[in-house]
Structure formats: C-alpha cells, structure tokens
Amino acid sequence: MTELDVAQLQRRLADFAASRAWEPYHTPKNLCVALSVEASELLEIFQWLTPEQSARVMEDPDTAFRVTDEVADVLAYLLQFCEVLGIDALEALAAKIDRNETRFPVPDGTRG
C-alpha cells in the first residue's frame, strides 16, 4: 500500500474488528464514546502545558510518540464511526469547509 486513502483504512479497521468478532460492540454510540475517550487522552497530554510548551510537544520523542498514537486512535474511531453510519468523512469535511467559507467570509483587504 503506497498511497493511503480513507476507504482502504476503513476496510482495514473493519477487517480488524471482524476478525476479532467486535462488530456487535461497534455501534454508533459505542464508537462515539470511544472517540471521545481517545480525544480526551490526547487532551490529557496538553492539559498543563503552557502555549509555548504545547507548540514544542513534538520535540520530545516520548511525548511525540504519545501524541501521534492518540491521534491515530482518534482517527481510527472517527473512521469507524463514519463507516457504521455511512458518512463519507472527506465529503462531509469538504461540505463543512464550503459552509464555513460562506459563514465567515474573508474581510476586505486581508486576502493575500
């Protein structure tokens, strides 16, 4: 696999869960809860850091590993959540960006 895409990753996650008979537990509610827990674990890393410390978090190899690992967990649960509910994550994001561009137009004179 040289180029990763969302569908490939979702298939791998589904196969991983299926081979362990975890599908009954992968309900929208459970996946949403798991997503929240993993996001909280990511947040915990930053909890008491100053803004300056948080900007340098990837400089420490151990902390960088923890951040990267938690990001992976968050993304995995988000992709599984989207798969179960039939949401195209990239399409949803593109539509949200479109709406935000309309809701929050660039002020005159600030566009580069």
Side-chain angles (χ1 to χ4, degrees):
M1 186 164 34
T2 58
E3 193 172 311
L4 296 177
D5 66 39
V6 172
Q8 285 177 314
L9 294 171
Q10 285 177 307
R11 183 78 260 138
R12 285 186 67 192
L13 289 165
D15 291 346
F16 182 88
S19 67
R20 289 152 180 83
W22 290 352
E23 296 105 322
Y25 307 106
H26 284 196
T27 64
K29 179 201 76 85
N30 287 349
L31 292 169
C32 192
V33 169
L35 174 60
S36 178
V37 169
E38 294 301 338
S40 294
E41 289 178 6
L42 178 60
L43 178 62
E44 183 181 33
I45 297 167
F46 292 88
Q47 184 175 12
W48 301 114
L49 300 181
T50 66
E52 295 77 20
Q53 290 169 323
S54 70
R56 295 189 315 270
V57 75
M58 299 304 283
E59 293 173 7
D60 175 67
D62 291 334
T63 307
F65 175 81
R66 288 178 55 217
V67 168
T68 302
D69 208 44
E70 294 306 335
V71 165
D73 287 342
V74 168
L75 183 56
Y77 280 118
L78 179 60
L79 291 178
Q80 290 174 89
F81 179 79
C82 289
E83 175 78 10
V84 165
L85 292 179
I87 297 169
D88 182 320
L90 296 182
E91 188 177 291
L93 177 57
K96 181 66 174 189
I97 293 169
D98 289 344
R99 287 192 307 278
N100 283 343
E101 287 173 340
T102 301
R103 284 182 62 201
F104 307 105
V106 176
D108 291 337
T110 60
R111 181 168 266 173

